Amino acid sequence: MTLAAGTELATATNEHLANISNTLIYSAMAVYTLAFFAYIAEWIFGSRSRIGRTAAALTGTGEGKKAPAVTVKKAGATAVLERPKVVVRAAAGARDVPDGPGAHGGDEKGDLYGRIAVSLTVVAFLVELGGVLARAASVERAPWGNMYEFNITFSTVAVGVYLTLLALKKNVRWLGLFLITTVLLDLGIAVTVLYTASDQLVPALHSYWLYIHVSTAILCGAVFYVGAVGTILYLFKDSYESKLASGGKPGQFATSFLERLPSSSTLDKFSYRVNAAVFPLWTFTIIAGAIWAESAWGRYWGWDPKETWAFITWVAYACYLHARATAGWKGRKAAYLALLAFGCWLFNYYGVNIFVSGKHSYAGV
């Protein structure tokens, strides 16, 4: 076989692998769509069991529930049962609001749809992972050379983080609907707007630091995203609990939706722990990037737009964690700061890559 024939065969093989990757990504989107409808069904059927959940809460028959004490007053020969006091908002330093039953709402059919949704999510994750690996094989490198490749890898890792938490028996199935919705949006943007044909990297990216620096950046972004979802839901749940505490009456939809989520204090702690756990890895990501920059461009730091916004993101998350640890910030102020930090991460990825030119601009996007 001549050199030219070998080159043509390799090119044809790479193109075939790229087509397989595209097919798998589209297939994953189809399965994610089925999972999305299953999560919707979980929420819908769960909302039909409010009377049953109320009865379970009063009688103590629900999972992990304890019946509240009932005070009996006797007026003559008549016994009057007072309505049990229902605590709706946690006091400072205490969590006396119980977590909601989850998206299924304690309903068996809702729980069945939830399990189906998780199963479909696992299938879609495996199919998408296959698409990412096929893309890597088609370009014979790590599949992180442009925004399209970063997007499909990022969504895969985000779903992987969610499934890992479920495998660790963490009560996070309430994340499923919000996660899959944004994953579908992410993949839709990737295949329509950001798609870039398989190609080799520019010389500056030919380094083993590509595997170290970019992989940790993707993992950090996926975990930061999970924390951001928890923070947004915390803000809604906190407003709901505040309205109940002040004697207000939330709408039927808000009640049916928010009463099934974890309590605001649980969501607040979840977001904080997620962000705190991944922050050291984000610090390592920036350090690894600086080492790679010295190898590629002869300097550790040059205030390139990507470097600058990575540092701004680090400062924002550092301020958030410092405020929680030393100033005692909890609740809404800390939540706003966490969302600001995640907004910096998003701009560092989308805004800098699309609207700002610099040394980190490759392959158009």
Side-chain angles (χ1 to χ4, degrees), residues 12 47 75 142 162 173 193-194 208 218 238 251 254 283 364:
S47 68
Y162 166 66
R173 205 164 82 187
V193 179
L194 302 176
Y208 61 88
I218 292 173
D238 183 66
T283 304

Side-chain angles (χ1 to χ4, degrees), residues 60-73:
T61 57
E63 182 179 355
K65 300 286 186 180
K66 292 184 179 180
V70 178
T71 303
V72 179
K73 287 185 177 180

Side-chain angles (χ1 to χ4, degrees), residues 10 26 68 83 120 127 153 158 174 217-218 269 275 290 310 318 324-325 355:
Y26 278 105
R83 178 178 298 177
L120 289 170
V127 173
T153 306
W174 47 269
I218 292 173
K269 291 177 183 176
N275 289 326
R324 289 285 306 242
F355 302 111

Side-chain angles (χ1 to χ4, degrees), residues 4 6 11 24 31-32 35 48 65 73 103 110 125 159 218 239 256 262 285-286 294 309 321 336:
T11 301
L24 289 174
V31 182
Y32 277 133
R48 296 181 180 179
K65 300 286 186 180
K73 287 185 177 180
F125 166 76
V159 175
I218 292 173
S239 297
S256 176
T285 300
I286 296 177
E294 195 279 332
W309 276 95
L321 296 175
Y336 292 138

Side-chain angles (χ1 to χ4, degrees), residues 283-365:
T283 304
F284 171 78
T285 300
I286 296 177
I287 295 173
I291 297 173
W292 187 11
E294 195 279 332
S295 175
W297 302 313
R299 88 298 188 271
Y300 288 100
W301 196 266
W303 295 106
D304 181 77
K306 178 72 71 172
E307 297 169 349
T308 301
W309 276 95
F311 178 68
I312 291 174
T313 302
W314 185 90
V315 170
Y317 274 109
C319 289
Y320 163 71
L321 296 175
H322 179 74
R324 289 285 306 242
T326 60
W329 274 24
K330 294 181 181 180
R332 302 187 73 86
K333 290 190 296 184
Y336 292 138
L337 190 53
L339 290 181
L340 175 63
F342 184 67
C344 291
W345 187 91
L346 283 178
F347 183 79
N348 182 39
Y349 174 50
Y350 285 102
V352 172
N353 284 14
I354 296 175
F355 302 111
V356 182
S357 61
K359 287 184 175 295
H360 286 77
S361 299
Y362 303 106
V365 291

Side-chain angles (χ1 to χ4, degrees), residues 192-217:
T192 57
V193 179
L194 302 176
Y195 181 78
T196 304
S198 299
D199 199 1
Q200 294 304 311
L201 297 175
V202 296
L205 290 182
H206 283 289
S207 171
Y208 61 88
W209 284 104
L210 172 68
Y211 295 89
I212 300 173
H213 172 65
V214 183
S215 63
T216 55

Side-chain angles (χ1 to χ4, degrees), residues 46-62 65 101 105-107:
S47 68
R48 296 181 180 179
S49 62
R50 290 184 58 197
I51 295 176
R53 292 198 308 277
T54 302
L58 293 175
T59 60
T61 57
K65 300 286 186 180
D107 180 75

